[in-house]
Structure formats: structure tokens, C-alpha cells
């Protein structure tokens, strides 16, 4: 007898699927420089100064223009590349913790605790990813609405990991409470 699709539980490996989907989507965002466009920034800059060329601006406007232009160059030269490296590192850590936790099939309480610890680390890294993306959104002049799907994907990954942790409580009944034999 089969179980109705609406009554089936998500596979434990849904954590993996969601993680890889999240990683692909965020990598695509990184390839597109977080959606930051120097051309749009330049158009916005010109609009702020009434569309006048730099030569027609007065001295105070030239100073303000130069500061904004310097900010744009900083985004391109160091901010975007640095955030890209940081976010890639965080994504890798999430994957590493998920894989490490899943590679442990607990037979002893210490192994169960290690598995739980890796799941907790994965949750922590998910939160770190969320914080990094939030900081990037607040810093770069990008469309905030395009980032909501990433927040939703991260929340989904967190929910899946928490569900996985909760499901692991079944191991508490199975694992041998004794310490593993050290061979002595």
C-alpha cells in the first residue's frame, strides 16, 4: 500500500537538494556582482546632478560627484570581490558541515553528539550567510526585492536542518550509551 503524496514526509536528503539549489542561486548572484551595475550607478549619479557633465558642475558639486564616484570604484575594486570570497567560503562551510553530519551514523552517544554539533554548525553558517547577504544589500545600491528569494531559501534550509536534527532524536533510543571500545 502506498502513502498519498500529500502525506509523505520530505526526504532527509532534501537538506542536500535545498543546499545545492541555494548554492547555485547564490553563485549566480555572485557572478552577476550581486546585481550591482556600474552603468546604473553612473546614470543615477548623473541624474543626481541634473544630467550635467562633470565640467559644468560647480566646485561643491564636483567634490560631491568625486566622492560618489570614488564609492563606485570601491564597490568594483574591493567590496564586491571581498564579499564574493566571504560568501563562497560561508557556502562551502555549510556544505562541509552538512556532509560531515550526514557521514556520521551514530552508534554511540558521542557520535550522536558530534552529528548534532555538525548540524548546529550548519545552522550557524546559514545564519552567517543570511547576515552577509543582508549587509551586502544594505551597502550596495541594488534592488532589495531581488534578494527576498535568497532569504526564503536560507529559511527553508534552516527549517530542513532543524527537522533533520529533530528526526535524529530517534537515534537516542538506539545508540549504545556506553563509550566506544578503544581497543584496550
Amino acid at each position: 500500500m502506498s502513502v498519498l503524496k500529500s502525506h509523505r514526509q520530505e526526504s532527509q536528503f532534501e537538506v542536500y537538494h535545498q543546499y545545492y539549489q541555494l548554492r547555485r542561486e547564490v553563485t549566480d548572484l555572485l557572478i552577476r556582482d550581486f546585481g550591482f551595475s556600474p552603468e546604473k550607478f553612473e546614470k543615477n549619479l548623473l541624474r543626481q546632478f541634473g544630467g550635467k557633465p562633470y565640467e559644468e558642475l560647480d566646485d561643491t558639486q564636483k567634490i560631491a560627484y568625486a566622492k560618489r564616484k570614488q564609492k563606485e570604484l570601491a564597490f568594483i575594486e574591493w567590496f564586491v570581490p571581498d564579499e564574493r570570497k566571504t560568501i563562497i567560503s560561508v557556502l562551502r562551510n555549510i556544505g562541509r558541515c552538512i556532509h560531515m553530519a550526514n557521514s556520521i551514523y551514530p552508534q554511540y552517544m558521542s557520535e550522536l553528539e558530534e552529528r548534532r554539533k555538525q548540524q548546529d554548525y550548519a545552522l550557524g553558517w546559514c545564519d552567517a550567510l543570511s547576515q552577509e547577504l543582508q549587509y551586502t544589500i544594505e551597502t550596495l545600491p541594488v534592488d532589495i526585492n531581488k534578494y527576498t528569494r535568497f532569504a526564503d531559501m536560507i529559511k527553508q534550509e534552516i527549517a530542513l536542518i532543524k527537522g533533520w536534527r529533530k528526526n535524529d532524536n530517534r537515534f537516542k533510543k538506539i545508540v549504545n550509551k556506553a563509550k566506544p571500545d578503544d581497543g584496550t
Side-chain angles (χ1 to χ4, degrees):
M1 178 175 203
S2 64
V3 177
L4 293 174
K5 190 172 186 178
S6 62
H7 295 311
R8 293 180 194 163
Q9 292 182 349
E10 287 183 338
S11 166
Q12 178 169 301
F13 291 100
E14 188 65 26
V15 173
Y16 281 127
H17 299 301
Q18 180 67 22
Y19 164 70
Y20 286 121
Q21 179 68 27
L22 174 65
R23 187 167 180 177
R24 276 191 300 275
E25 295 285 330
V26 172
T27 300
D28 184 54
L29 178 70
L30 299 178
I31 289 169
R32 294 181 288 113
D33 293 336
F34 299 98
F36 174 70
S37 170
E39 294 80 21
K40 286 182 182 178
F41 190 87
E42 189 67 34
K43 285 179 185 177
N44 189 23
L45 188 59
L46 289 173
R47 199 173 330 126
Q48 289 175 354
F49 292 99
K52 296 181 196 174
Y54 180 78
E55 296 77 27
E56 293 180 17
L57 301 176
D58 64 35
D59 289 339
T60 57
Q61 288 177 323
K62 283 183 178 180
I63 292 169
Y65 182 92
K67 284 182 181 178
R68 289 191 176 112
K69 190 69 176 172
Q70 184 179 16
K71 188 176 186 179
E72 174 193 9
L73 291 174
F75 287 150
I76 295 168
E77 290 175 1
W78 70 266
F79 183 79
V80 169
D82 186 58
E83 281 300 303
R84 185 182 294 130
K85 288 177 188 173
T86 301
I87 289 174
I88 286 292
S89 176
V90 170
L91 281 167
R92 286 179 180 156
N93 285 328
I94 293 169
R96 188 176 298 118
C97 292
I98 290 171
H99 285 281
M100 287 176 72
N102 195 51
S103 69
I104 300 170
Y105 188 81
Q107 295 181 3
Y108 299 99
M109 189 55 76
S110 61
E111 293 170 338
L112 181 61
E113 291 167 355
E114 181 61 30
R115 181 175 166 120
R116 174 70 179 239
K117 192 183 312 181
Q118 292 301 324
Q119 291 167 333
D120 289 345
Y121 289 153
L123 288 171
W125 285 113
C126 285
D127 186 54
L129 177 62
S130 181
Q131 295 301 318
E132 281 299 323
L133 287 174
Q134 180 66 33
Y135 176 70
T136 304
I137 292 167
E138 292 172 0
T139 305
L140 288 174
V142 294
D143 184 8
I144 294 172
N145 297 324
K146 293 182 180 178
Y147 282 79
T148 55
R149 69 184 178 138
F150 300 108
D152 292 341
M153 291 177 79
I154 294 168
K155 285 179 187 175
Q156 177 66 22
E157 182 68 14
I158 289 171
L160 288 168
I161 294 170
K162 285 182 176 180
W164 181 27
R165 270 190 340 181
K166 187 176 180 181
N167 192 35
D168 275 1
N169 287 334
R170 64 187 160 90
F171 282 120
K172 286 184 181 178
K173 299 172 189 167
I174 299 170
V175 295
N176 183 352
K177 302 255 189 246
K179 294 186 179 185
D181 185 33
D182 61 4
T184 55

